[in-house]
Amino acid sequence: MTERARADHGSIVGGLHIQMSKLLLIALVAATAATGALIITIAVGIPHPPPPPPGPNGMPPPPPNLSGLAAVSIVTGLFVLSWLAVLVVFSRDQILERLREVRHEPAPVHELDDMFAEFRSQLAADRDRERQLLEERITELTTEYGEQRETDGYLNGLRVATTEEPTSKVSSIRRVPRPGV
């Protein structure tokens, strides 16, 4: 038997783990008591007396006393209900045990706090990495845009300088010194 089975107060029967919960134990005790009560009621409650003698003046005998049969019916109902309760509680315990196995018991609170702290640090690291990538991309795009504007300006200036008739007035940024000054 495993340590977990001992800790759960369960037992293993033919590969089937029986979870012995308090409710199952109470239901088993009630079912056992109901079985004993049914046996005693059948043995004592249904007497088989000899048939009564004929009544006076040849009348039929009085009807037999059926009060014992009412007690048998009630005890039989308790017997059936108690064993049905055992079956339902046993099934419930088995389903809950399977769900615990699938779900893996929830971690204690301190482990959850540690997991949340680790998750927060991972999120912060991811956020810093994404911010750094975004800064690099913005720098790259700004540099590329500046170079493109510079190239466009240079090409536009060459185009204007090579045409015979300028389409627009081009003024130099630097002043050309006057001759003789």
Side-chain angles (χ1 to χ4, degrees):
M1 187 183 324
T2 64
E3 289 296 319
R4 184 170 184 219
R6 280 190 208 112
D8 289 341
H9 304 293
S11 62
I12 298 177
V13 178
L16 178 65
H17 182 257
I18 298 175
Q19 178 68 27
M20 297 298 283
S21 66
K22 290 179 185 179
L23 186 60
L24 181 60
L25 287 174
I26 291 170
L28 279 172
V29 168
T32 305
T35 303
L38 181 63
I39 291 171
I40 292 171
T41 304
I42 289 175
V44 175
I46 304 180
H48 296 289
N57 299 329
M59 295 195 57
N65 186 5
L66 299 179
S67 63
L69 289 178
V72 170
S73 297
I74 292 171
V75 173
T76 303
L78 290 174
F79 169 81
V80 170
L81 288 176
S82 63
W83 281 107
L84 184 62
V86 168
L87 181 65
V88 168
V89 171
F90 175 74
S91 299
R92 178 199 72 124
D93 289 347
Q94 291 298 312
I95 290 169
L96 289 175
E97 182 67 25
R98 298 291 163 97
L99 287 175
R100 270 190 225 109
E101 288 174 5
V102 169
R103 186 179 43 180
H104 301 298
E105 291 295 322
V109 174
H110 62 82
E111 289 180 14
L112 287 175
D113 289 342
D114 294 342
M115 289 171 53
F116 279 132
E118 180 181 341
F119 184 64
R120 285 183 192 113
S121 66
Q122 288 176 354
L123 282 176
D126 288 346
R127 188 174 46 240
D128 290 342
R129 187 174 48 249
E130 288 177 2
R131 183 183 46 82
Q132 184 180 7
L133 289 173
L134 185 62
E135 286 175 358
E136 290 173 2
R137 182 67 180 147
I138 288 173
T139 303
E140 178 183 315
L141 287 174
T142 304
T143 304
E144 184 179 322
Y145 179 74
E147 289 175 358
Q148 185 177 3
R149 291 288 294 178
E150 184 180 350
T151 303
D152 287 346
Y154 177 76
L155 291 175
N156 192 23
L158 283 178
R159 198 174 307 118
V160 168
T162 57
T163 60
E164 293 177 12
E165 294 179 21
T167 56
S168 64
K169 184 178 178 186
V170 178
S171 56
S172 173
I173 295 177
R174 294 191 186 119
R175 290 184 148 184
V176 179
R178 289 188 202 164
V181 174

